[in-house]
Each structure stands twice: as C-alpha cells, then as structure tokens.
Amino acid sequence: MGVDRGLSAFLVAAQVDGTEVARITNAPKALAAGMKRQRRLAKSLSRKQKGSRNRRDAAARLGRSGMLHNHRLAQAISDAGWTEFARILAYKQGWRHGTVLLADRWYPSSKRCSHCGTIRADLTLADRVFRCTCGYVADRDLNAAVNLAAWGQQHHDDPPLDPRTPKQRGRATNARRRGRH
C-alpha cells in the first residue's frame, strides 16, 4: 500500500492496482489554534507601555506561547502533523511486525504516470489532476499513492540501509557504561 501525504488531503492511501483505500482530508491543525492565542498575546503586548512591569509580564506570556517565524507553506506543513503521523505509523507497524518503507524525498511520485511510467516535469503544485500523454487521468494524490505502492513492492525485499554506516554518513556510536574502578 502506498501513502501520499499532502496539504490539500492530509493523506491518500492506495493499492498498486489503483484502488483508493483511504483519504483523510481534515488534517489536525494544532498550530492554527495556537496561533490565534499568539496573535491575541502579541496584540496585548503592543498595547503595554514600554519599560512597564505589565509589558514584561506580557512578553513572558508571549514567549511561552511559542512564536513561529515560518513562511506560510512551512507553517501549513508543520501544522499538518506529518511527523506525529509517521511516528504512530512506524510504531503500529513495528507492533504488528510490519515494515514501513520511506521513498526518497525526491522520488517523483506525483509526476510519474502510474500506468506508463512517463514523468511529467511540467507538473506544478497547482495541478490537482494528473493527465498523461497516454490518456491516463487521475487525482494527483491518488496517482502519487499508487506510485508509492508500486515503489514499495519493488523495494520490499531490499534490506533497509543502516543509517549509521559510513556510506550513509551517519554517526556510529559504540558507547558503553563503564563502572567505577
């Protein structure tokens, strides 16, 4: 099964044959709720007299609210909760003795036709429907999920790379506790 994460649809899951298994459109938006409080606190801070104790207290409350200085897309991505979803998915699959395979970040799952394999380099984020020269038309997220399912089938039997190997440039640690002598 392939799972495509996105902003318009939180996730779309599909089988290799193109059958859509699940679509979750309402992503958790914890950051949006927190930003409302942050805006209120910032407005309150701006109304306080500089140097006053009230301003100092308001600044402390604002600092605790966790301001985020991101662009809008980065803010939407951080609000979508992808990291938490990936953590839960990996935990559940480990519990059921399953595996979670992660495709490379630059794998063209959205741009590759799931029928003929042609890659459309001209596809933009605004294009929500995938149209191929072979005549295949599908929802962009569904096409990406089908491509990821096919990628997972091809790479299922490959042993996972140990991220700590020197070839992966990871940090290998072999730390042991030593008793006091």
Side-chain angles (χ1 to χ4, degrees), residues 4-181:
D4 179 57
R5 301 177 301 182
L7 292 176
S8 61
F10 178 64
L11 72 89
V12 176
Q15 307 250 343
V16 176
D17 63 1
T19 308
E20 186 174 312
V21 177
R23 179 180 290 263
I24 299 175
T25 54
N26 296 331
K29 301 256 188 239
L31 182 65
M35 288 303 287
K36 184 177 179 181
R37 180 174 185 264
Q38 189 270 337
R39 280 191 297 272
R40 183 179 51 82
L41 289 172
K43 190 181 279 189
S44 172
L45 174 67
S46 70
R47 292 181 181 138
K48 307 294 183 218
Q49 186 176 7
K50 290 185 179 176
S52 70
R53 181 174 178 211
N54 287 338
R55 185 176 177 97
R56 222 176 17 255
D57 292 345
R61 280 193 306 273
L62 181 62
R64 284 192 303 265
S65 74
M67 293 190 305
L68 187 66
H69 300 288
N70 282 343
H71 299 291
R72 289 186 183 181
L73 183 61
Q75 191 173 6
I77 289 170
S78 65
D79 199 16
W82 289 345
T83 305
E84 181 65 12
F85 171 73
R87 186 191 68 77
I88 291 170
L89 183 66
Y91 167 75
K92 293 288 186 180
Q93 285 300 325
W95 189 55
R96 294 182 174 135
H97 305 290
T99 57
V100 175
L101 299 175
L102 297 175
D104 181 63
R105 176 181 180 173
W106 303 111
Y107 177 71
S109 61
S110 295
K111 297 183 176 191
R112 182 183 303 269
C113 177
S114 59
H115 275 62
C116 68
T118 304
I119 296 176
R120 283 197 49 201
D122 62 333
L123 198 66
T124 64
L125 284 173
D127 298 328
R128 299 311 312 155
V129 177
F130 181 84
R131 298 180 198 287
C132 185
T133 55
C134 72
Y136 177 68
V137 178
D139 176 65
R140 178 190 177 122
D141 297 330
L142 177 62
N143 182 58
V146 171
N147 282 328
L148 289 168
W151 180 88
Q153 271 191 343
Q154 291 172 354
H155 294 85
H156 186 279
D157 294 330
D158 294 347
L161 294 174
D162 184 2
R164 295 171 295 167
T165 60
K167 286 185 179 180
Q168 297 298 315
R169 299 194 194 286
R171 193 169 123 186
T173 59
N174 189 12
R176 296 183 185 161
R177 287 193 178 203
R178 295 184 179 153
R180 293 186 174 191
H181 297 345

